[in-house]
Amino acid sequence: MLIAGFPAGAWGTNCYLVAPAAGEECVIIDPGHQAAQGVEEALRKHRLKPVAVVLTHGHIDHVASVVPVCGAHDVPAWIHPEDRYMMSDPEKALGRSIGMPLMGELTVGEPDDVKELSDGARLSLAGMEFGVSHAPGHTKGSVTFRMPETPEVPQVLFSGDLLFAGSVGRTDLPGGDHAELLESLARVCLPLDDSTVVLSGHGPQTTIGRERATNPYLTGMAGGNAPRRGM
């Protein structure tokens, strides 16, 4: 399996391209602010053909490049229905904290083809399977994508802004709920094997085992003073 990731834009949001191997079809995860150029460079480098964009949630730092990326390659975007409105009205989702100068750079709206995600769904895309778990807390429509273990690679969890290395997503924006986020961590993350690789929306990769042992939000399952990342 090939996973090519890079941080993009003002918030350093991780965008991922996932394919069975170089030269094959791929899925693009979270093409956020100023990610379109990086996506095109990764597609050329690895000779990939996108078949879909999938989104962990609707915040602008994760979806800002959805329209140009989907339009350039005529592919659908998948998002949970509770976050779908954020593609067209990102300021409402952020309590209008983002500011007009940045908004002036963005092309907001939906791509031509939008498909909705549901909890427990299994997406078969580009010859790969992605298990979808609804994981509210950071936003009402946050989801994670899980790829099963193979003989070559361990299980992979694309956690969005639910879980980071040493921290969790913020819950102080519209739709955020700290109690829901803790419940999502307990339900979605804690049952996974320690070897599961976590590729999050911001920051470095980690594993479930490392977070289970050291992340204060998993060891104690209660809010503390640990720093949080994400928009």
Side-chain angles (χ1 to χ4, degrees):
M1 184 169 62
L2 168 67
I3 301 177
F6 61 93
W11 297 278
T13 305
N14 291 327
C15 176
Y16 300 100
L17 290 81
V18 188
E24 300 195 23
E25 293 181 333
C26 75
V27 173
I28 301 167
I29 301 176
D30 288 355
H33 183 230
Q34 298 178 342
Q37 181 177 342
V39 167
E40 296 305 320
E41 290 173 354
L43 292 174
R44 288 193 296 271
K45 177 180 179 180
H46 300 289
R47 297 172 286 108
L48 300 174
K49 175 180 172 51
V51 297
V53 167
V54 298
L55 303 167
T56 62
H57 63 289
H59 279 160
I60 195 68
D61 61 325
H62 289 252
V63 308
S65 295
V66 168
V67 170
V69 169
C70 287
H73 300 282
D74 192 24
V75 298
W78 293 77
I79 191 168
H80 192 275
E82 291 199 66
D83 276 12
R84 182 170 177 171
Y85 76 94
M86 298 185 189
M87 289 194 288
S88 298
D89 194 358
E91 287 191 327
K92 182 178 179 181
L94 299 172
R96 298 194 178 273
S97 64
I98 191 170
M100 289 306 295
L102 179 60
M103 288 301 296
E105 300 175 11
L106 305 177
T107 303
V108 298
E110 292 190 355
D112 291 339
D113 188 0
V114 178
K115 300 181 185 299
E116 295 187 346
L117 299 165
S118 60
D119 185 45
R122 294 192 176 277
L123 302 181
S124 294
L125 299 168
M128 303 173 293
E129 184 174 277
F130 297 82
V132 180
S133 294
H134 186 209
H138 181 62
T139 67
K140 292 298 184 186
S142 289
V143 302
T144 65
F145 300 105
R146 188 178 68 255
M147 301 186 71
E149 180 180 6
T150 70
E152 293 80 23
V153 296
Q155 182 171 235
V156 176
L157 177 73
F158 295 94
S159 64
D161 285 5
L162 172 64
L163 177 65
F164 304 123
S167 188
V168 298
R170 64 191 292 178
T171 57
D172 59 331
L173 294 173
D177 186 306
H178 189 66
E180 278 192 329
L181 185 134
L182 294 179
E183 190 279 332
S184 293
L185 288 167
R187 175 176 49 83
V188 175
C189 298
L190 284 182
L192 300 176
D193 292 342
D194 282 352
S195 61
T196 301
V197 174
V198 179
L199 298 177
S200 61
H202 303 267
Q205 77 175 48
T206 185
T207 65
I208 289 293
R210 184 178 303 141
E211 299 312 300
R212 195 195 311 277
T214 63
N215 189 315
Y217 295 94
L218 294 187
T219 58
M221 294 307 300
N225 296 318
R228 303 182 191 181
R229 296 192 185 96
M231 187 176 191

